[in-house]
Amino acid sequence: MLDPKVAKMVSKELESESIIVFDEAHNIDSVCIEALSVTIHERHLEQATRSLGRLSSEVSRIKASDATRLQAEYQNLVNGLVDQGLLDAPPNEVGLASNILGTDILNEAVPGNIRRAEHFIAFMKKIVEHLKARLRTVAGPRGGVISETPLAFLHRMITTTSLEAKPLKFAYSRLSSLLRTLQVPNLDDYNALTDVADFASLVSTYSEGSPKFAIILEPNGSSIPGASDPVIQLACLDSSLAIAPLFKRFGSVVITSGTLSPIDLYPKLLQFEPCVSESFNMSTFRPCIRPLIITRGSDQLPVSTKFDDRGDMGVVRNFGSMLVELCSSIPDGVVAFFTSYSYMESIISEWDGMGILRQLTKSKLVFIETKDVVETTLALDNYRRACDSGRGAVFLSVARGKVSEGINFDRHYGRAVIMFGVPFQYTLSHILRARLEYLQT
């Protein structure tokens, strides 16, 4: 509902009188921002270059075998995006409005210099090469972190590449049209190129007025120490952009969560006036929570997840021993949360080398959350089955990850919860700092 690329398909059948309910909406602000943010790594640009090569070959093949198909697309583009059927109808008639394309663009013809497929491919190659050049500069000896407004970034791109600003707004929709015309069987192969087109459209569309986006170029976006992975991030700073079309179309929108706190912050972030705002006290019918803080291992060595100490082998071993001892005495399901994916992966790797995972499997089956939604869902389902059958299981997951948001570990599914460290916000994040600066102004 919040992602402009798919919102229209989701909402097309819904009447304007429908009631939209967002449950577990304590992170709705983050979801809105992620829907309009784009991250492009150096490897993505290499993939985009290969995708453009494949598109160019396909266009040449179709020109030789079925030129009428490309000519028909050209004529549709002359008539405009709506007539072409790419966007079906203006946003006030059906579906949610795309945040990337304003109403003035919807009824407008695609600029002449990107209507021909071969011209558009050359146009996209220039954008990709410009982004590569910017990343090389950032990763170079004189490089460093650069933060720019969309207007400054766009001005530099236009000056360097001699491209015009107006066609950039149409990059994403023009690419969608081309992929559909060519009847590409596997769209996943073109994800990197789609991200580049999305990036170009967003930068051009939101370049005017007060900056609601920040473009941050970092020499190393990798979580692996010492690895070089330059990255360009288009970070949305205004979460109201993604949810505004939804408020405009539907009369009743309910935002609810067990942890929607502070409740008066959300109307400010999403820029709306709530008709009703209610907060209820939460209570448990029995004293079922017994917190315990462990500062030393079984060998009396201090344990800590402080960044300086987390790699210490003594700490890693004590954490593993503690988990084994708890799992051997606690029945049914145990859930463990780590502070980040990278920390969880590194500590599990060390535990495997120490034989701790083998000891753990004697008392419980081990399931691990990954960044893949399908894998995590499958692991969660098998975790529940292991708890139901009486075998018992331990689920290793990440605080602020997929499992920690809205999954209930009640009764025998969660006899104990173990937190390996406190998941503090990474305050040195350049995106976070840009967002704070935007909210303060």
Side-chain angles (χ1 to χ4, degrees), residues 100-119:
I100 296 175
L101 298 171
T103 51
D104 56 328
I105 299 172
L106 292 181
N107 301 310
E108 203 174 327
V110 172
N113 56 348
I114 59 170
R115 284 181 199 158
R116 296 276 182 206
E118 55 270 32
H119 295 167

Side-chain angles (χ1 to χ4, degrees), residues 344-403:
M344 180 178 73
E345 287 163 7
S346 66
I347 205 167
I348 288 173
S349 175
E350 295 293 348
W351 283 350
D352 186 40
M354 293 175 180
I356 287 171
L357 290 183
R358 281 195 300 277
Q359 294 177 46
L360 199 56
T361 51
K362 291 176 183 176
S363 54
K364 295 192 187 301
L365 297 179
V366 180
F367 297 94
I368 302 170
E369 176 187 354
T370 68
K371 292 180 182 178
D372 186 279
V373 179
V374 178
E375 283 182 2
T376 300
T377 305
L378 192 63
L380 195 59
D381 182 54
N382 286 324
Y383 168 82
R384 291 183 188 279
R385 287 171 59 193
C387 294
D388 290 337
S389 67
R391 173 67 172 85
V394 56
F395 202 102
L396 307 180
S397 53
V398 175
R400 294 202 186 98
K402 300 173 188 69
V403 172

